[in-house]
Amino acid sequence: MPNRLINEASPYLRQHAHNPVDWFPWGPEALQKAKDEDKPIFLSIGYAACHWCHVMAHESFEDPKIAQILNEHFVPIKVDREERPELDAIYIQAVQMLTGSGGWPLSVFLTPDGKPFFGGTYFPPVPRHGLPSFKDVLLRVIDAWQSQRHDIQRAGDRIKEALQRQIAPNKFQEELSIETLRLARDKIISQFDDTHGGWGVPRFPQPMVLEFLLRRYVSKGDQQALAVVLKGLEAMARGGIYDQLGGGFHRYAVDEAWVVPHFEKMLYDNAQLARVYLHTWAITGKAYLKEIATETIDYVLREMTHPQGGFYSSQDADSEGEEGKYYIWDIGEIRTVLGANASQFISSYGITPQGNFQGKNVLTFRGDWEERSLLLPMKEALFKKRQERVCPLKDEKVLVSWNGLMLATIAEAGRILENAYYKEKAKENAEFLLKHLRKPNGRLWHFWYGGYPKGEGLLDDYTNLIDGLLELYFATFEPQWFEAAKGLLQEVLKHFSAKVGFYDTPEDYEALVIRPRNLYDNAVPSGNSTATLLLIKFSCLLNQPSLRDIARESLKEIQDLLQQYPMAFGQWLSAMDLELESPWEIAVVGDPHSPKTKELLQTLPLYWPYLIVAVGMPDNPLPMLKDRPFEGDTPTAYVCKGSVCQAPVNTALELKKLLSS
């Protein structure tokens, strides 16, 4: 008989609906049961594409003896971290405080009022690699709950106080300094692996850090920063972290050379990586960068898109119960499919009889980039053969925040590549999100699944969608996208504002152990860093300098951390860079579709991290265009930087001279 999770929208929760564990979803029923029965809560957090979440579920949550202990002595709660990222943020921070590390599956023990007192990640069924068995952990917690309750309550109180301190505004704030960016840049580059490209093992892609380094090149001509970006992007594009046949990136590589990935594919990784490849192509013109960007976008549009336009969350690492089975190849299989052409492909993609992963091969590209297109027919043949395999499951939740990231990427690709298909797909996504995930009162839901929206929108739902809508405006200059973005920004200012920056939850959200305010850029940018970037842009677009003041206060608070831990604040570094460089404001008065207006716009660089652009006729409601008429009855560009504006110009040559001055 299934447990309560059978009625949940989350595919991840429903994966556990037939466990013998009497799981509860997070909510009043479970929390009240813990209080009424005076039992600790066992909180298990994971997500559908998480390999080790599946492993622990099979080893422990499907074990009747483990289930009996959990059901008798605990209130077991299962949470999908994608559905409830604010809970995940609170409790992973607590586990990091307790153990020094965190990850998924996340296993946390709470008092009935939600205070964490003990936790970890994966626990094996038997003692292994220095980890106690999950059964032993449960028995020790039961004993402590019965005999050391006072100590547990004190530990919970201390952790709650520590969590509160982490979100409190920094009182020691100095004026913003360009030296902070220099120190952060130096530390990032000093930690870079020049041999293989990247940082740390396991090796994560770090797209926000790469974006910051790319800005250093654009603004300062920093050749070393560009070299790091190119090294990292090429290493990933050649590696097994990139799906060489179907496009798109896996979550991370388990080795320093990017060969063997953790095979899950996440929407947010692909959105951010496609964007940085696109930006780097726009600067360097290296053809393979454009190929990787478009292949990644095409993968999402082909395999991760709902018929109505929303983007799915993730694709599993496992198929048929084995990690990576869908993606790996035996050399004999390659020869059978490709026949006489096999030798060339085997050489170019590093395929060996012994393989590089469990006796088989994760494809890695070893050839010259110029020959990659010549191998396309072989790749297509293998891709077609691969489609006969059992495909990894997809989590078909449509999350607003991750959709906002992908919307921004596809819209910008439509503009930079002048690709009408991408623009149309971006519009479809924006229309879907605004129709199905925006409430009549202007506020957002958090996700959509099976035809229904659920969950109250969180800060990064708003900020990422605003960014996506803004990029769609820049790609089309259709005012409805700007108006939608502006409306959502007003909701952020109204419902999420803190003394400095913003909370992750609105003021009328359910009471949690703390009201979270995450500042770190982890796998996705924090809502606060994105909000800061957006406030700088909207201060120009709306002619509201007060918005930039809010951004500056947020940057002052975080400045010390940027130079100490730059890898954890990639998007913040870009926000601070934009503030200190001070963006160009370019208002083009004219019909966006007229040849003369287009001629002015074609003067602008393809990648414009320091440009804020508005285009429209004199009667356009956008404030940046207000009181700016035609000069001589022809499209006119008004250019300002900081508090200084130049005389309006009518020709591409004049505009180019202004921007190069």
Side-chain angles (χ1 to χ4, degrees):
M1 182 176 175
N3 56 46
R4 296 167 188 81
L5 301 186
I6 196 69
N7 298 315
E8 291 298 301
S10 162
Y12 172 69
L13 296 186
R14 286 188 287 105
Q15 286 174 1
H16 295 79
H18 296 279
N19 292 167
V21 178
D22 188 20
W23 290 114
F24 286 77
W26 182 277
E29 182 185 2
L31 301 177
Q32 192 59 51
K33 179 180 172 68
K35 291 175 183 176
D36 292 345
E37 299 181 9
D38 191 32
K39 289 181 178 178
I41 293 166
F42 170 66
L43 176 64
S44 174
I45 302 179
Y47 57 102
C50 169
H51 170 70
W52 285 101
C53 299
H54 299 324
V55 172
M56 189 168 177
H58 176 66
E59 292 176 339
S60 295
F61 303 145
E62 294 174 10
D63 183 329
K65 293 180 180 178
I66 294 291
Q68 184 179 357
I69 296 171
L70 282 169
N71 296 341
E72 183 177 345
H73 296 281
F74 298 87
V75 175
I77 297 178
K78 175 62 73 173
V79 165
D80 180 345
R81 69 174 292 254
E82 296 169 6
E83 185 179 280
R84 297 299 301 266
E86 81 292 359
L87 289 173
D88 180 62
I90 292 170
Y91 291 114
I92 198 169
Q93 217 168 12
V95 168
Q96 287 168 339
M97 289 176 180
L98 288 162
T99 69
S101 63
W104 302 276
L106 191 67
S107 305
V108 200
F109 296 89
L110 318 178
T111 62
D113 56 356
K115 296 174 186 172
F117 63 86
F118 181 71
T121 53
Y122 164 78
F123 290 108
V126 295
R128 187 187 299 149
H129 305 305
L131 292 171
S133 74
F134 186 51
K135 181 180 178 181
D136 287 344
V137 169
L138 294 177
L139 294 177
R140 290 176 193 172
V141 172
I142 292 167
D143 179 66
W145 185 255
Q146 293 170 348
S147 62
Q148 302 171 45
R149 181 75 62 86
H150 180 67
D151 292 340
I152 285 176
Q153 294 289 0
R154 287 179 59 194
D157 289 339
R158 285 197 298 271
I159 293 169
K160 179 180 177 179
E161 290 167 5
L163 290 169
Q164 290 279 20
R165 285 196 298 273
Q166 283 208 347
I167 66 168
N170 179 4
K171 297 177 182 178
F172 305 101
Q173 300 177 9
E174 298 180 356
E175 282 303 313
L176 302 182
S177 169
I178 197 74
E179 182 71 2
T180 298
L181 297 180
R182 187 189 66 78
L183 291 170
R185 173 261 187 217
D186 290 350
K187 183 168 283 191
I188 289 168
I189 290 178
S190 71
Q191 295 172 352
F192 184 73
D193 178 355
D194 289 318
T195 302
H196 299 103
W199 296 268
V201 178
R203 190 141 288 187
F204 289 89
Q206 305 293 351
M208 287 172 275
V209 172
L210 294 171
E211 289 279 9
F212 166 65
L213 293 178
L214 204 56
R215 285 170 173 262
R216 292 283 83 196
Y217 171 73
V218 172
S219 64
K220 304 299 181 189
D222 188 336
Q223 293 288 343
Q224 189 179 12
L226 179 62
V228 166
V229 173
L230 288 171
K231 178 72 176 180
L233 294 182
E234 181 170 7
M236 286 189 285
R238 289 182 175 278
I241 192 174
Y242 185 68
D243 180 355
Q244 300 291 340
L245 297 183
F249 289 87
H250 300 293
R251 179 71 192 95
Y252 60 84
V254 301
D255 61 291
E256 63 184 7
W258 301 102
V259 173
V260 178
H262 190 40
F263 289 91
E264 65 200 62
K265 283 182 172 180
M266 311 301 296
L267 180 65
Y268 58 77
D269 285 320
N270 286 286
Q272 294 177 91
L273 285 166
R275 203 172 182 185
V276 73
Y277 276 89
L278 179 71
H279 292 163
T280 311
W281 170 78
I283 292 169
T284 66
K286 292 180 180 290
Y288 81 89
L289 297 167
K290 178 182 174 182
E291 290 174 13
I292 300 298
T294 56
E295 288 171 6
T296 301
I297 292 170
D298 292 345
Y299 152 71
V300 171
L301 294 176
R302 182 183 69 242
E303 297 189 33
M304 298 294 287
T305 304
H306 188 277
Q308 295 184 51
F311 302 128
Y312 300 144
S313 298
S314 63
Q315 202 164 18
D316 211 327
D318 301 4
S319 56
E320 300 181 78
E322 295 182 29
E323 184 181 11
K325 184 174 182 178
Y326 184 73
Y327 299 100
I328 57 179
W329 295 86
D330 179 89
I331 193 168
E333 203 177 0
I334 299 281
R335 288 187 171 129
T336 299
V337 175
L338 298 183
N341 294 319
S343 295
Q344 184 182 4
F345 191 89
I346 286 169
S347 174
S348 295
Y349 280 89
I351 297 161
T352 63
Q354 65 271 22
N356 54 24
F357 178 71
Q358 298 178 358
K360 294 194 176 183
N361 291 273
V362 179
L363 300 185
T364 60
F365 184 62
R366 307 293 179 84
D368 296 329
W369 288 114
E370 292 72 19
E371 74 175 289
R372 194 168 179 264
S373 59
L374 301 177
L375 298 169
L376 187 58
M378 300 176 219
K379 288 174 60 178
E380 289 174 346
L382 289 169
F383 179 71
K384 185 177 180 181
K385 181 65 177 178
R386 192 175 80 175
Q387 288 180 306
E388 298 174 8
R389 300 174 178 176
V390 176
C391 186
L393 293 175
K394 296 170 189 170
D395 185 336
E396 296 185 353
K397 287 196 310 295
V398 176
L399 292 159
V400 175
S401 62
W402 298 1
N403 270 248
L405 292 171
M406 198 71 221
L407 170 59
T409 297
I410 296 179
E412 196 171 14
R415 176 183 65 79
I416 289 176
L417 302 175
E418 296 185 0
N419 186 312
Y421 174 69
Y422 286 168
K423 288 184 185 181
E424 191 57 37
K425 288 300 176 182
K427 288 181 185 180
E428 286 179 14
N429 180 251
E431 288 165 354
F432 175 87
L433 296 172
L434 294 174
K435 178 181 178 181
H436 294 287
L437 285 143
R438 183 175 58 175
K439 302 177 185 181
N441 65 3
R443 294 176 70 175
L444 293 175
W445 297 98
H446 176 56
F447 75 98
W448 182 93
Y449 182 79
Y452 299 97
K454 282 200 70 177
E456 188 68 34
L458 303 171
L459 177 62
D460 62 352
D461 293 315
Y462 286 83
T463 55
N464 288 342
L465 180 52
I466 292 167
D467 186 48
L469 291 168
L470 202 55
E471 288 299 336
L472 185 53
Y473 169 72
F474 293 146
T476 64
F477 295 113
E478 295 171 357
Q480 69 265 32
W481 310 121
F482 171 78
E483 290 298 322
K486 181 180 74 172
L488 292 174
L489 181 66
Q490 290 168 344
E491 296 296 326
V492 169
L493 294 167
K494 181 178 179 181
H495 297 291
F496 292 86
S497 291
K499 288 182 179 178
V500 178
F502 302 92
Y503 290 107
D504 295 336
T505 57
E507 86 288 349
D508 52 359
Y509 200 72
E510 70 171 280
L512 302 174
V513 65
I514 62 167
R515 188 178 178 191
R517 192 173 75 96
N518 178 44
L519 298 177
Y520 292 88
D521 295 320
N522 293 308
V524 294
S526 76
N528 270 276
S529 64
T530 306
T532 301
L533 262 173
L534 290 168
L535 288 168
I536 297 168
K537 295 177 181 180
F538 272 94
S539 70
C540 302
L541 291 163
L542 296 174
N543 289 332
Q544 290 185 21
S546 61
L547 297 178
R548 200 159 171 180
D549 294 339
I550 299 172
R552 288 186 72 87
E553 290 305 305
S554 293
L555 288 166
K556 286 180 187 177
E557 178 192 20
I558 207 81
Q559 181 170 216
D560 287 348
L561 295 173
L562 299 188
Q563 52 189 312
Q564 294 179 55
Y565 312 105
M567 298 298 298
F569 295 94
Q571 176 111 313
W572 280 106
L573 287 166
S574 290
M576 186 168 175
D577 175 66
L578 179 62
E579 171 59 25
L580 291 176
E581 288 295 327
S582 194
W584 290 91
E585 302 171 35
I586 303 171
V588 179
V589 180
D591 180 350
H593 304 292
S594 79
K596 288 189 176 181
T597 302
K598 289 181 178 180
E599 188 179 341
L600 286 172
L601 293 173
Q602 286 167 357
T603 305
L604 306 180
L606 292 176
Y607 174 52
W608 56 21
Y610 304 109
L611 305 185
I612 311 297
V613 183
V615 180
M617 299 297 283
D619 58 354
N620 190 293
L622 202 152
M624 194 166 145
L625 296 168
K626 188 178 180 182
D627 299 327
R628 286 175 161 164
F630 285 127
E631 288 285 319
D633 296 324
T634 187
T636 304
Y638 292 82
V639 179
C640 302
K641 185 176 175 65
S643 57
V644 178
C645 292
Q646 305 297 321
V649 297
N650 300 105
T651 69
L653 181 61
E654 290 173 309
L655 179 56
K656 187 174 183 178
K657 285 181 178 178
L658 281 181
L659 295 176
S660 61
S661 61

mmCIF file of all heavy atoms in Angstrom, residues 37-68:
data_model
loop_
_atom_site.group_PDB
_atom_site.id
_atom_site.type_symbol
_atom_site.label_atom_id
_atom_site.label_comp_id
_atom_site.label_asym_id
_atom_site.label_seq_id
_atom_site.Cartn_x
_atom_site.Cartn_y
_atom_site.Cartn_z
ATOM 1 N N GLU A 37 3.451 13.678 19.464
ATOM 2 C CA GLU A 37 4.017 12.398 19.898
ATOM 3 C C GLU A 37 5.413 12.542 20.488
ATOM 4 O O GLU A 37 6.018 11.536 20.875
ATOM 5 C CB GLU A 37 4.033 11.422 18.719
ATOM 6 C CG GLU A 37 2.628 11.136 18.173
ATOM 7 C CD GLU A 37 2.638 10.139 17.016
ATOM 8 O OE1 GLU A 37 3.710 9.539 16.746
ATOM 9 O OE2 GLU A 37 1.582 9.957 16.396
ATOM 10 N N ASP A 38 5.907 13.789 20.556
ATOM 11 C CA ASP A 38 7.217 14.070 21.123
ATOM 12 C C ASP A 38 8.301 13.206 20.476
ATOM 13 O O ASP A 38 9.101 12.551 21.147
ATOM 14 C CB ASP A 38 7.206 13.855 22.638
ATOM 15 C CG ASP A 38 8.471 14.397 23.305
ATOM 16 O OD1 ASP A 38 9.024 15.400 22.789
ATOM 17 O OD2 ASP A 38 8.928 13.805 24.302
ATOM 18 N N LYS A 39 8.329 13.240 19.151
ATOM 19 C CA LYS A 39 9.303 12.449 18.401
ATOM 20 C C LYS A 39 10.214 13.376 17.597
ATOM 21 O O LYS A 39 9.767 14.422 17.110
ATOM 22 C CB LYS A 39 8.601 11.497 17.438
ATOM 23 C CG LYS A 39 7.888 10.339 18.093
ATOM 24 C CD LYS A 39 7.257 9.448 17.022
ATOM 25 C CE LYS A 39 6.578 8.241 17.647
ATOM 26 N NZ LYS A 39 5.920 7.392 16.608
ATOM 27 N N PRO A 40 11.465 12.975 17.421
ATOM 28 C CA PRO A 40 12.328 13.746 16.512
ATOM 29 C C PRO A 40 11.882 13.521 15.070
ATOM 30 O O PRO A 40 11.262 12.508 14.731
ATOM 31 C CB PRO A 40 13.712 13.181 16.757
ATOM 32 C CG PRO A 40 13.474 11.785 17.245
ATOM 33 C CD PRO A 40 12.171 11.815 18.002
ATOM 34 N N ILE A 41 12.235 14.463 14.236
ATOM 35 C CA ILE A 41 11.944 14.373 12.804
ATOM 36 C C ILE A 41 13.195 13.868 12.090
ATOM 37 O O ILE A 41 14.302 14.352 12.349
ATOM 38 C CB ILE A 41 11.555 15.755 12.243
ATOM 39 C CG1 ILE A 41 10.209 16.213 12.821
ATOM 40 C CG2 ILE A 41 11.503 15.746 10.719
ATOM 41 C CD1 ILE A 41 9.913 17.678 12.596
ATOM 42 N N PHE A 42 13.014 12.876 11.212
ATOM 43 C CA PHE A 42 14.084 12.530 10.285
ATOM 44 C C PHE A 42 13.727 13.152 8.943
ATOM 45 O O PHE A 42 12.736 12.781 8.313
ATOM 46 C CB PHE A 42 14.250 11.020 10.120
ATOM 47 C CG PHE A 42 15.195 10.668 8.993
ATOM 48 C CD1 PHE A 42 16.547 10.999 9.081
ATOM 49 C CD2 PHE A 42 14.742 10.067 7.832
ATOM 50 C CE1 PHE A 42 17.420 10.718 8.034
ATOM 51 C CE2 PHE A 42 15.603 9.779 6.779
ATOM 52 C CZ PHE A 42 16.949 10.109 6.882
ATOM 53 N N LEU A 43 14.547 14.112 8.511
ATOM 54 C CA LEU A 43 14.302 14.847 7.279
ATOM 55 C C LEU A 43 15.277 14.352 6.209
ATOM 56 O O LEU A 43 16.496 14.449 6.377
ATOM 57 C CB LEU A 43 14.492 16.346 7.514
ATOM 58 C CG LEU A 43 14.361 17.268 6.294
ATOM 59 C CD1 LEU A 43 12.951 17.217 5.719
ATOM 60 C CD2 LEU A 43 14.720 18.704 6.675
ATOM 61 N N SER A 44 14.735 13.843 5.127
ATOM 62 C CA SER A 44 15.549 13.361 4.007
ATOM 63 C C SER A 44 15.269 14.239 2.792
ATOM 64 O O SER A 44 14.126 14.328 2.338
ATOM 65 C CB SER A 44 15.205 11.903 3.690
ATOM 66 O OG SER A 44 15.888 11.454 2.529
ATOM 67 N N ILE A 45 16.312 14.889 2.266
ATOM 68 C CA ILE A 45 16.169 15.808 1.141
ATOM 69 C C ILE A 45 16.992 15.287 -0.034
ATOM 70 O O ILE A 45 18.157 14.926 0.119
ATOM 71 C CB ILE A 45 16.631 17.230 1.512
ATOM 72 C CG1 ILE A 45 15.836 17.758 2.717
ATOM 73 C CG2 ILE A 45 16.472 18.182 0.321
ATOM 74 C CD1 ILE A 45 16.248 19.153 3.175
ATOM 75 N N GLY A 46 16.373 15.268 -1.209
ATOM 76 C CA GLY A 46 17.075 14.841 -2.414
ATOM 77 C C GLY A 46 16.382 15.392 -3.639
ATOM 78 O O GLY A 46 15.593 16.341 -3.554
ATOM 79 N N TYR A 47 16.660 14.792 -4.784
ATOM 80 C CA TYR A 47 16.002 15.232 -6.015
ATOM 81 C C TYR A 47 16.028 14.084 -7.015
ATOM 82 O O TYR A 47 16.775 13.107 -6.867
ATOM 83 C CB TYR A 47 16.657 16.491 -6.590
ATOM 84 C CG TYR A 47 18.136 16.401 -6.891
ATOM 85 C CD1 TYR A 47 18.596 16.217 -8.191
ATOM 86 C CD2 TYR A 47 19.082 16.523 -5.873
ATOM 87 C CE1 TYR A 47 19.957 16.157 -8.477
ATOM 88 C CE2 TYR A 47 20.440 16.457 -6.141
ATOM 89 C CZ TYR A 47 20.874 16.280 -7.447
ATOM 90 O OH TYR A 47 22.215 16.214 -7.725
ATOM 91 N N ALA A 48 15.201 14.184 -8.038
ATOM 92 C CA ALA A 48 14.915 13.038 -8.901
ATOM 93 C C ALA A 48 16.136 12.524 -9.642
ATOM 94 O O ALA A 48 16.253 11.329 -9.896
ATOM 95 C CB ALA A 48 13.804 13.396 -9.887
ATOM 96 N N ALA A 49 17.053 13.408 -10.039
ATOM 97 C CA ALA A 49 18.201 12.987 -10.853
ATOM 98 C C ALA A 49 19.419 12.601 -10.016
ATOM 99 O O ALA A 49 20.482 12.339 -10.564
ATOM 100 C CB ALA A 49 18.584 14.108 -11.824
ATOM 101 N N CYS A 50 19.266 12.530 -8.702
ATOM 102 C CA CYS A 50 20.395 12.305 -7.790
ATOM 103 C C CYS A 50 20.690 10.806 -7.669
ATOM 104 O O CYS A 50 19.896 10.053 -7.105
ATOM 105 C CB CYS A 50 20.066 12.907 -6.429
ATOM 106 S SG CYS A 50 21.193 12.458 -5.101
ATOM 107 N N HIS A 51 21.854 10.386 -8.170
ATOM 108 C CA HIS A 51 22.219 8.964 -8.161
ATOM 109 C C HIS A 51 22.289 8.409 -6.744
ATOM 110 O O HIS A 51 21.717 7.352 -6.440
ATOM 111 C CB HIS A 51 23.559 8.786 -8.878
ATOM 112 C CG HIS A 51 24.143 7.414 -8.726
ATOM 113 N ND1 HIS A 51 23.599 6.307 -9.330
ATOM 114 C CD2 HIS A 51 25.222 6.968 -8.009
ATOM 115 C CE1 HIS A 51 24.314 5.239 -9.017
ATOM 116 N NE2 HIS A 51 25.307 5.615 -8.222
ATOM 117 N N TRP A 52 22.990 9.101 -5.849
ATOM 118 C CA TRP A 52 23.173 8.563 -4.501
ATOM 119 C C TRP A 52 21.894 8.635 -3.677
ATOM 120 O O TRP A 52 21.733 7.885 -2.704
ATOM 121 C CB TRP A 52 24.341 9.265 -3.802
ATOM 122 C CG TRP A 52 25.639 8.762 -4.352
ATOM 123 C CD1 TRP A 52 26.433 9.375 -5.270
ATOM 124 C CD2 TRP A 52 26.257 7.499 -4.069
ATOM 125 N NE1 TRP A 52 27.514 8.580 -5.573
ATOM 126 C CE2 TRP A 52 27.443 7.431 -4.847
ATOM 127 C CE3 TRP A 52 25.933 6.429 -3.237
ATOM 128 C CZ2 TRP A 52 28.291 6.334 -4.805
ATOM 129 C CZ3 TRP A 52 26.786 5.324 -3.199
ATOM 130 C CH2 TRP A 52 27.942 5.290 -3.975
ATOM 131 N N CYS A 53 20.973 9.497 -4.062
ATOM 132 C CA CYS A 53 19.645 9.473 -3.433
ATOM 133 C C CYS A 53 18.950 8.153 -3.747
ATOM 134 O O CYS A 53 18.329 7.530 -2.879
ATOM 135 C CB CYS A 53 18.791 10.639 -3.938
ATOM 136 S SG CYS A 53 19.458 12.270 -3.575
ATOM 137 N N HIS A 54 19.079 7.711 -5.009
ATOM 138 C CA HIS A 54 18.488 6.428 -5.396
ATOM 139 C C HIS A 54 19.165 5.278 -4.654
ATOM 140 O O HIS A 54 18.512 4.319 -4.231
ATOM 141 C CB HIS A 54 18.631 6.209 -6.901
ATOM 142 C CG HIS A 54 17.954 7.242 -7.736
ATOM 143 N ND1 HIS A 54 16.757 7.827 -7.385
ATOM 144 C CD2 HIS A 54 18.303 7.805 -8.926
ATOM 145 C CE1 HIS A 54 16.406 8.695 -8.321
ATOM 146 N NE2 HIS A 54 17.326 8.706 -9.259
ATOM 147 N N VAL A 55 20.483 5.376 -4.506
ATOM 148 C CA VAL A 55 21.220 4.313 -3.819
ATOM 149 C C VAL A 55 20.751 4.180 -2.377
ATOM 150 O O VAL A 55 20.442 3.072 -1.895
ATOM 151 C CB VAL A 55 22.739 4.577 -3.874
ATOM 152 C CG1 VAL A 55 23.495 3.574 -3.003
ATOM 153 C CG2 VAL A 55 23.251 4.500 -5.311
ATOM 154 N N MET A 56 20.659 5.299 -1.657
ATOM 155 C CA MET A 56 20.235 5.234 -0.255
ATOM 156 C C MET A 56 18.782 4.786 -0.138
ATOM 157 O O MET A 56 18.419 4.058 0.798
ATOM 158 C CB MET A 56 20.437 6.583 0.434
ATOM 159 C CG MET A 56 20.221 6.515 1.939
ATOM 160 S SD MET A 56 20.783 8.002 2.801
ATOM 161 C CE MET A 56 20.292 7.587 4.483
ATOM 162 N N ALA A 57 17.965 5.202 -1.095
ATOM 163 C CA ALA A 57 16.568 4.757 -1.080
ATOM 164 C C ALA A 57 16.491 3.244 -1.202
ATOM 165 O O ALA A 57 15.752 2.573 -0.464
ATOM 166 C CB ALA A 57 15.798 5.426 -2.210
ATOM 167 N N HIS A 58 17.261 2.683 -2.121
ATOM 168 C CA HIS A 58 17.225 1.233 -2.339
ATOM 169 C C HIS A 58 17.806 0.484 -1.141
ATOM 170 O O HIS A 58 17.243 -0.528 -0.689
ATOM 171 C CB HIS A 58 18.006 0.883 -3.607
ATOM 172 C CG HIS A 58 18.120 -0.587 -3.864
ATOM 173 N ND1 HIS A 58 17.026 -1.380 -4.165
ATOM 174 C CD2 HIS A 58 19.203 -1.427 -3.832
ATOM 175 C CE1 HIS A 58 17.424 -2.633 -4.321
ATOM 176 N NE2 HIS A 58 18.741 -2.682 -4.126
ATOM 177 N N GLU A 59 18.929 0.985 -0.617
ATOM 178 C CA GLU A 59 19.603 0.270 0.464
ATOM 179 C C GLU A 59 18.867 0.375 1.797
ATOM 180 O O GLU A 59 18.851 -0.583 2.575
ATOM 181 C CB GLU A 59 21.017 0.823 0.641
ATOM 182 C CG GLU A 59 21.959 0.521 -0.509
ATOM 183 C CD GLU A 59 23.311 1.176 -0.308
ATOM 184 O OE1 GLU A 59 23.406 2.153 0.479
ATOM 185 O OE2 GLU A 59 24.279 0.725 -0.945
ATOM 186 N N SER A 60 18.286 1.540 2.072
ATOM 187 C CA SER A 60 17.749 1.791 3.411
ATOM 188 C C SER A 60 16.238 2.011 3.447
ATOM 189 O O SER A 60 15.542 1.417 4.272
ATOM 190 C CB SER A 60 18.449 3.008 4.029
ATOM 191 O OG SER A 60 19.821 2.739 4.240
ATOM 192 N N PHE A 61 15.722 2.853 2.562
ATOM 193 C CA PHE A 61 14.305 3.201 2.662
ATOM 194 C C PHE A 61 13.388 2.103 2.129
ATOM 195 O O PHE A 61 12.187 2.115 2.386
ATOM 196 C CB PHE A 61 14.020 4.526 1.946
ATOM 197 C CG PHE A 61 14.853 5.671 2.462
ATOM 198 C CD1 PHE A 61 15.297 6.675 1.599
ATOM 199 C CD2 PHE A 61 15.218 5.751 3.794
ATOM 200 C CE1 PHE A 61 16.074 7.725 2.059
ATOM 201 C CE2 PHE A 61 15.997 6.797 4.271
ATOM 202 C CZ PHE A 61 16.428 7.788 3.396
ATOM 203 N N GLU A 62 13.968 1.152 1.383
ATOM 204 C CA GLU A 62 13.192 -0.010 0.953
ATOM 205 C C GLU A 62 13.375 -1.202 1.896
ATOM 206 O O GLU A 62 12.779 -2.257 1.689
ATOM 207 C CB GLU A 62 13.598 -0.403 -0.474
ATOM 208 C CG GLU A 62 13.234 0.647 -1.518
ATOM 209 C CD GLU A 62 13.775 0.316 -2.907
ATOM 210 O OE1 GLU A 62 14.269 -0.820 -3.088
ATOM 211 O OE2 GLU A 62 13.693 1.184 -3.792
ATOM 212 N N ASP A 63 14.180 -1.038 2.936
ATOM 213 C CA ASP A 63 14.461 -2.101 3.906
ATOM 214 C C ASP A 63 13.376 -2.093 4.993
ATOM 215 O O ASP A 63 13.248 -1.112 5.734
ATOM 216 C CB ASP A 63 15.837 -1.861 4.528
ATOM 217 C CG ASP A 63 16.251 -2.960 5.500
ATOM 218 O OD1 ASP A 63 15.377 -3.567 6.141
ATOM 219 O OD2 ASP A 63 17.462 -3.198 5.624
ATOM 220 N N PRO A 64 12.597 -3.148 5.140
ATOM 221 C CA PRO A 64 11.502 -3.160 6.135
ATOM 222 C C PRO A 64 11.988 -2.935 7.566
ATOM 223 O O PRO A 64 11.285 -2.303 8.364
ATOM 224 C CB PRO A 64 10.884 -4.554 5.965
ATOM 225 C CG PRO A 64 11.261 -4.970 4.576
ATOM 226 C CD PRO A 64 12.606 -4.377 4.326
ATOM 227 N N LYS A 65 13.184 -3.431 7.892
ATOM 228 C CA LYS A 65 13.676 -3.259 9.265
ATOM 229 C C LYS A 65 14.028 -1.799 9.539
ATOM 230 O O LYS A 65 13.726 -1.265 10.622
ATOM 231 C CB LYS A 65 14.885 -4.161 9.493
ATOM 232 C CG LYS A 65 14.539 -5.648 9.466
ATOM 233 C CD LYS A 65 15.775 -6.503 9.696
ATOM 234 C CE LYS A 65 15.416 -8.000 9.658
ATOM 235 N NZ LYS A 65 16.620 -8.847 9.835
ATOM 236 N N ILE A 66 14.681 -1.157 8.577
ATOM 237 C CA ILE A 66 14.975 0.275 8.723
ATOM 238 C C ILE A 66 13.676 1.062 8.804
ATOM 239 O O ILE A 66 13.522 1.981 9.625
ATOM 240 C CB ILE A 66 15.834 0.777 7.542
ATOM 241 C CG1 ILE A 66 17.221 0.133 7.558
ATOM 242 C CG2 ILE A 66 15.929 2.305 7.541
ATOM 243 C CD1 ILE A 66 18.105 0.581 8.688
ATOM 244 N N ALA A 67 12.734 0.723 7.937
ATOM 245 C CA ALA A 67 11.445 1.420 7.918
ATOM 246 C C ALA A 67 10.738 1.295 9.263
ATOM 247 O O ALA A 67 10.138 2.265 9.752
ATOM 248 C CB ALA A 67 10.572 0.857 6.803
ATOM 249 N N GLN A 68 10.818 0.120 9.883
ATOM 250 C CA GLN A 68 10.156 -0.076 11.181
ATOM 251 C C GLN A 68 10.735 0.861 12.236
ATOM 252 O O GLN A 68 10.001 1.454 13.038
ATOM 253 C CB GLN A 68 10.301 -1.533 11.618
ATOM 254 C CG GLN A 68 9.559 -1.860 12.918
ATOM 255 C CD GLN A 68 9.707 -3.324 13.313
ATOM 256 O OE1 GLN A 68 10.319 -4.120 12.598
ATOM 257 N NE2 GLN A 68 9.145 -3.678 14.457
#
